[in-house]
Amino acid sequence: MAHLATLILLLPLAGFLIVLLNGGRMSERAIGAVGTSAVGLSFVATVATFVSLLHHREREVTVHLFTWISTGTLRVPAALLVDPLAITMALFVTGISTLIHLYSIGYMHGERDFRKFFLYLNLFVFSMLTLVLADNLLMTFVGWEGVGVCSYWLVSYYFDRDSAATAGKKAFIYNRVGDVGLMTAMFLLFTHLHTLTYLTVFNRAGTLSPTVATLTVLALLLAATGKSAQIPLFNWLPDAMEGPTPVSALIHAATMVTAGVYLLVRMGPILALSSSGRATIAVVGGVTAFVAATIATAQKDIKKVLAFSTVSQIGYMVLAVGSGAYSAAIFLMVAHAFFKALLFLGSGSVIHALSGEQDMRKMGGLARFLPLTFPTFLIGWLAISGIPPFAGFWAKGDVLTNAYAYSKPLWLLGVITAILTGYYMSRLFVLTFRGTERFREVTHGHDPHESPWVMTLPLVVLATLSVLGGVIDLPWIHHNSLAGFLDPTLGYLPSHGVTSTAAQYTLAGVDIVAAVLGLLAAFSIWRSRVSSDTWEKPFFERVWRWDDAYDAVLGRPLTALAVVGERVVEPRIVDGAVVAVAGGVRRSAEGLRKVQSGFVRHYALATVLGLAVVVVYLVARVG
């Protein structure tokens, strides 16, 4: 198992190094094959490790690679923790990433920086695997920063466009704010527990005081809000759509934004020590899910609708974590990886067919022109909307059932969000694939074309997973399901599950009604219109004016402060102090220069006069 687990991590790194060192001599097809094969083989190694773990006596296996840091009382190994949670994460990270790599071969064909793109993709996957397989917080932090810098490079891939460069910087800065939370949590844990290794931290967690535990939980929440785009740090993610569409799929479905939820689940023993901390997490998740859903209802860019959808779905996962339903959070994370990757890659196929157009008002009637993209996208739409028997229905229902047991107001907020999800995704579907054809100006009168097989094959696979994905955690097969597999890792978590069968069926019925209401509302409103001032509120389109608020509270005051520094502090105080010191030295030097004339007669006269003064002084003392 040790060798297999090491291969999971090293294969994407090997792909990165091969393309880095030899990419200049490789064809576009060879680069794509190497990058995709590296991640695909990592997926194979992950499956083999998963099978080995199922038959292993222990469900927590530490693979020691080498001693990384040893100084003072700090001992940090480079080691991997192979347990059900890590392997579950690695399975969908490598599996979904392989499909995205394959899709990218077709989507990025002819791009000037094709080699650089695959370099970043392989490094992105390696960083995410480092994050989820690390056996200690410091090594996790290395992967955490790795996905951060890779996202910066990929979001600003078209750096010659101001919007892309700005979006990359925004993502980078927002994530650095979240990093403060993770570093603070590490400092608190090391100060009180004297270790950063997960298993040791969990064994000693009971010695933490309630105050320290709560502070640590809140610091972890800050880290998660940055990486997983939750309130108050959620508004960097929609701007990240400036990158190529495969990047959007990779960030939203397989890497990056799932990292914050993973961190919270991994640190479950710490969260279990603070009920107030978990309540804060639940509220942040529930509110984020609702706010992002309202914003998605008014977006006109197809990728931005999907971006705010991700923020909302991640909010559901964070709500599940705060409710103590950690396995439900992971279940939704896996299902979300299937249908969100499908939706983003499907939107990329649409954009590809329309020569880069992303405005849904310039689409419509595409169903008959995209015979594979249309049915697969339809499956993704039904899955995320929560229509049975697709994966999203089971996963989202699991979250809402646990939320109902934990907090009725948060459950109600989740149900309202489910209605909005059905609405905005149906609006996207209708405006893109149904109705009148509005794309002729974009395509210059030509019919749109279906994407090549390297782009449509991943859509078919993801559509299949979106249909069948709910099987991994159906409520009546718990012991052989995802929840049963995760039990050894998450067994310490508080349980608020609904035990009554009648209650479970009732809640499932409410979920179905909520989804159907959203679908019916969207079809009745958008079947015969392209835009509407009534239903597309500028307040929502402007992201609740969140960026405007940050600009007013932080941006403009800091800009004004910088102007003061440039015009007053720098020239008058800093430069003034330097000039004043220099002037004083110059004036003192000019005074001394009069004494240091260089003539021997002047020095002799000074010596005689000095000696005379001494003699007079001594005579006066004797007298």
Side-chain angles (χ1 to χ4, degrees):
M1 185 186 297
H3 296 302
L4 288 171
T6 306
L7 282 175
I8 296 172
L9 192 63
L10 294 184
L11 282 167
L13 180 61
F16 166 80
L17 293 174
I18 291 171
V19 175
L20 176 66
L21 298 176
N22 302 291
R25 300 186 296 272
M26 297 169 66
S27 66
E28 193 177 273
R29 178 177 295 181
I31 291 171
V34 168
T36 305
S37 298
V39 182
L41 290 172
S42 179
F43 173 66
V44 173
T46 306
V47 172
T49 306
F50 167 68
V51 174
S52 179
L53 185 65
L54 287 177
H55 296 90
H56 200 274
R57 184 176 59 184
E58 300 291 334
R59 285 294 181 91
E60 293 176 337
V61 179
T62 300
V63 180
H64 184 87
L65 302 177
F66 56 87
T67 299
W68 179 24
I69 297 175
S70 179
T71 176
T73 59
L74 179 62
R75 301 285 187 275
V76 180
L80 310 180
L81 176 60
V82 181
D83 69 351
L85 177 59
I87 288 301
T88 300
M89 296 291 298
L91 278 170
F92 81 77
V93 167
T94 54
I96 301 300
S97 296
T98 300
L99 296 173
I100 294 172
H101 275 70
L102 179 62
Y103 180 95
S104 299
I105 295 174
Y107 190 88
M108 300 300 291
H109 174 64
E111 284 282 347
R112 180 185 61 187
D113 294 322
F114 187 90
R115 169 175 171 253
K116 182 174 71 174
F117 182 80
F118 272 83
L119 278 174
Y120 293 161
L121 285 192
N122 272 194
L123 189 60
F124 208 152
V125 175
F126 167 74
S127 299
M128 187 64 186
L129 290 172
T130 301
L131 191 159
V132 301
L133 291 171
D135 98 316
N136 60 80
L137 274 162
L138 195 57
M139 191 170 170
T140 291
F141 188 70
V142 172
W144 186 274
E145 292 302 296
V147 296
V149 71
C150 287
S151 69
Y152 168 70
W153 288 330
L154 287 167
V155 169
S156 55
Y157 178 80
Y158 299 115
F159 59 86
D160 52 346
R161 297 198 314 233
D162 289 340
S163 58
T166 300
K169 289 184 287 186
K170 186 175 182 179
F172 191 81
I173 292 170
Y174 272 62
N175 277 272
R176 298 295 73 74
V177 176
D179 291 349
V180 173
L182 182 52
M183 289 189 289
T184 301
M186 287 195 294
F187 294 151
L188 286 169
L189 291 173
F190 184 76
T191 300
H192 292 86
L193 303 181
H194 311 294
T195 183
L196 293 174
T197 302
Y198 286 123
L199 297 182
T200 310
V201 166
F202 301 159
N203 288 333
R204 299 177 184 176
T207 63
L208 292 175
S209 68
T211 301
V212 172
T214 299
L215 288 175
T216 304
V217 170
L218 294 178
L220 292 169
L221 174 59
L222 176 60
T225 59
K227 196 66 71 179
S228 292
Q230 299 293 284
I231 289 174
L233 301 176
F234 74 100
N235 48 323
W236 67 267
L237 191 58
D239 289 3
M241 298 303 96
E242 290 290 338
T245 300
V247 173
S248 304
L250 192 65
I251 290 176
H252 289 246
T255 61
M256 191 71 174
V257 296
T258 60
V261 180
Y262 163 78
L263 177 69
L264 294 176
V265 173
R266 173 59 78 191
M267 298 303 291
I270 306 299
L271 270 61
L273 301 175
S274 175
S275 58
S276 59
R278 292 199 310 276
T280 304
I281 292 173
V283 170
V284 167
V287 172
T288 302
F290 171 75
V291 169
T294 62
I295 296 170
T297 62
Q299 300 303 308
K300 298 176 176 63
D301 185 313
I302 187 172
K303 287 175 63 177
K304 285 202 172 183
V305 175
L306 295 176
F308 281 109
S309 165
T310 297
V311 176
S312 183
Q313 297 298 306
I314 297 291
Y316 272 122
M317 299 175 206
V318 175
L319 170 60
V321 171
S323 303
Y326 290 22
S327 62
I330 298 300
F331 182 25
L332 181 56
M333 186 188 297
V334 175
H336 178 263
F338 298 155
F339 58 69
K340 186 50 63 70
L342 172 59
L343 290 168
F344 263 113
L345 297 185
S347 71
S349 185
V350 170
I351 294 167
H352 184 266
L354 299 180
S355 304
E357 183 58 60
Q358 297 182 194
D359 191 335
M360 295 183 295
R361 294 171 297 180
K362 298 179 181 179
M363 297 180 183
L366 288 172
R368 69 188 183 93
F369 299 101
L370 305 176
L372 271 175
T373 300
F374 168 66
T376 54
F377 198 97
L378 182 146
I379 290 172
W381 159 55
L382 294 175
I384 193 174
S385 298
I387 300 297
F390 301 99
F393 167 73
W394 304 105
K396 192 184 299 182
D398 197 5
V399 171
L400 290 174
T401 298
N402 283 276
Y404 179 84
Y406 179 76
S407 168
K408 302 300 186 293
L410 288 176
W411 168 79
L412 181 60
L413 193 62
V415 171
I416 296 172
T417 302
I419 297 173
L420 291 172
T421 302
Y423 168 78
Y424 67 69
M425 286 306 303
S426 300
R427 169 178 172 266
L428 180 152
F429 182 78
V430 171
L431 290 179
T432 303
F433 292 101
R434 312 303 296 177
T436 58
E437 298 174 1
R438 304 181 298 277
F439 51 76
R440 293 297 175 183
E441 183 177 343
V442 175
T443 60
H444 304 292
H446 300 293
D447 289 344
H449 56 86
E450 184 58 277
S451 301
W453 72 267
V454 289
M455 295 173 64
T456 55
L457 177 60
L459 297 181
V460 173
V461 175
L462 290 167
T464 304
L465 292 172
S466 297
V467 174
L468 304 177
V471 174
I472 66 176
D473 205 20
L474 293 176
W476 52 80
I477 57 167
H478 175 78
H479 294 295
N480 295 314
S481 67
L482 176 64
F485 178 63
L486 292 173
D487 269 350
T489 303
L490 309 181
Y492 49 77
L493 297 171
S495 177
H496 300 283
V498 176
T499 56
S500 168
T501 303
Q504 290 183 354
Y505 279 112
T506 301
L507 291 173
V510 172
D511 296 342
I512 295 172
V513 170
V516 171
L517 282 176
L519 268 65
L520 293 176
F523 271 88
S524 64
I525 294 170
W526 296 102
R527 183 170 50 192
S528 58
R529 68 181 76 190
V530 178
S531 62
S532 169
D533 294 335
T534 303
W535 298 101
E536 295 175 328
K537 298 296 183 184
F539 179 71
F540 294 149
E541 188 176 2
R542 293 286 297 274
V543 194
W544 284 46
R545 298 194 177 276
W546 211 276
D547 284 319
D548 296 339
Y550 277 159
D551 185 50
V553 175
L554 296 174
R556 293 182 185 277
L558 289 176
T559 300
L561 186 63
V563 170
V564 171
E566 179 190 22
R567 297 179 181 178
V568 178
V569 177
E570 180 72 20
R572 299 184 184 180
I573 299 177
V574 178
D575 287 351
V578 172
V579 170
V581 170
V585 171
R586 179 174 56 80
R587 287 189 294 272
S588 63
E590 289 175 349
L592 288 174
R593 188 171 60 187
K594 296 177 181 178
V595 177
Q596 300 289 340
S597 64
F599 293 109
V600 175
R601 59 180 179 272
H602 291 168
Y603 300 149
L605 177 61
T607 301
V608 171
L609 291 175
L611 183 60
V613 170
V614 172
V615 170
V616 170
Y617 173 75
L618 293 175
V619 170
R621 288 285 301 272
V622 172

